[in-house]
Amino acid sequence: MLIASWIAGVAALQFVSPTWLIVSVVAGSLLAFRFAKERSFRLLRRIRFLVLALVIFFAWFTPGESLWAALPVLSPTREGLALAADHLGRLVGVVLCVAGLLEYLSVPRLVGGLYALFHPFERVGLPADRLAVRLMLVLSYVEATPSGGWRSWLEDDTTPLHHKGATSISIVREPLGYGQLTIAVLVGVVLLALLEFRA
């Protein structure tokens, strides 16, 4: 139930109007900083360079009216700033949703729950097992701080994986009852409706 609500909330953030986006991000920030303060700050801190890149890319490379009329070459555009704020709001909203979910569900349980939700869709070609493993790896890297900081990710390390003490990945298999299956179907219907509305 919690995971399905999270999926629906994250999906809805991508389609709401700017006004409702502001309301959603403000409400989500209050809830996240109330119930998952440390994790929220940690995840937001880790995306600071992505935030900077988004602002620069949209604000300075989107055609439109210059914000500083006296310096049109160096000025960001009003349209670019509006796009940057829109994408930044959706990104922050998703990160806060992730922080809140990880506060109450461990990574194995979260991935196991997502696998249980997506498993019925394997009959139509959705690789639920591979999605679960990849999501587990991503969330594990998000949660763990690498030794040496982010610069260690840029190093050309050719050491075989088995020499680094890598262990097998374990996923908690969550049972999927009729109630959860119904919620999964409803979430799928809502997502399809949102996609049609967006188009």
Side-chain angles (χ1 to χ4, degrees), residues 11-85:
L13 277 175
Q14 311 310 312
F15 300 98
V16 295
S17 65
T19 301
W20 281 108
L21 177 62
I22 294 173
V23 174
S24 301
V25 171
V26 171
S29 300
L30 294 175
L31 290 173
F33 293 143
R34 171 64 179 83
F35 297 104
K37 184 177 180 179
E38 292 184 6
R39 193 182 301 272
S40 297
F41 276 120
R42 185 167 67 249
L43 293 184
L44 289 175
R45 183 176 179 274
R46 291 184 180 178
I47 66 166
R48 62 190 185 279
F49 294 112
L50 177 58
V51 169
L52 180 62
L54 278 175
V55 172
I56 293 175
F57 180 80
F58 284 106
W60 271 269
F61 293 93
T62 301
E65 181 184 356
S66 297
L67 185 64
W68 308 324
L71 298 170
V73 177
L74 301 177
S75 172
T77 63
R78 298 182 186 277
E79 292 80 1
L81 287 174
L83 276 176

Side-chain angles (χ1 to χ4, degrees), residues 32-162:
F33 293 143
R34 171 64 179 83
F35 297 104
K37 184 177 180 179
E38 292 184 6
R39 193 182 301 272
S40 297
F41 276 120
R42 185 167 67 249
L43 293 184
L44 289 175
R45 183 176 179 274
R46 291 184 180 178
I47 66 166
R48 62 190 185 279
F49 294 112
L50 177 58
V51 169
L52 180 62
L54 278 175
V55 172
I56 293 175
F57 180 80
F58 284 106
W60 271 269
F61 293 93
T62 301
E65 181 184 356
S66 297
L67 185 64
W68 308 324
L71 298 170
V73 177
L74 301 177
S75 172
T77 63
R78 298 182 186 277
E79 292 80 1
L81 287 174
L83 276 176
D86 182 75
H87 285 80
L88 182 58
R90 299 183 198 280
L91 173 63
V92 170
V94 170
V95 170
L96 293 177
C97 286
V98 171
L101 192 63
L102 290 177
E103 189 71 17
Y104 294 97
L105 287 179
S106 64
V107 171
R109 285 203 63 195
L110 171 58
V111 176
L114 288 172
Y115 175 78
L117 285 174
F118 292 142
H119 182 66
F121 300 102
E122 284 188 330
R123 296 181 179 180
V124 294
L126 181 69
D129 52 350
R130 281 182 286 176
L131 286 175
V133 171
R134 290 173 183 175
L135 181 60
M136 170 75 100
L137 292 173
V138 170
L139 291 177
S140 297
Y141 274 110
V142 168
E143 281 292 280
T145 301
S147 58
W150 61 270
R151 291 178 180 81
S152 64
W153 290 336
L154 304 179
E155 296 177 357
D156 185 14
D157 189 358
T158 57
T159 305
L161 186 61
H162 62 274

Side-chain angles (χ1 to χ4, degrees), residues 172-193:
V172 178
R173 297 289 297 272
E174 299 287 341
L176 183 64
Y178 289 107
Q180 289 85 352
L181 181 59
T182 302
I183 293 173
V185 172
L186 289 176
V187 168
V189 171
V190 170
L191 292 180
L192 288 175

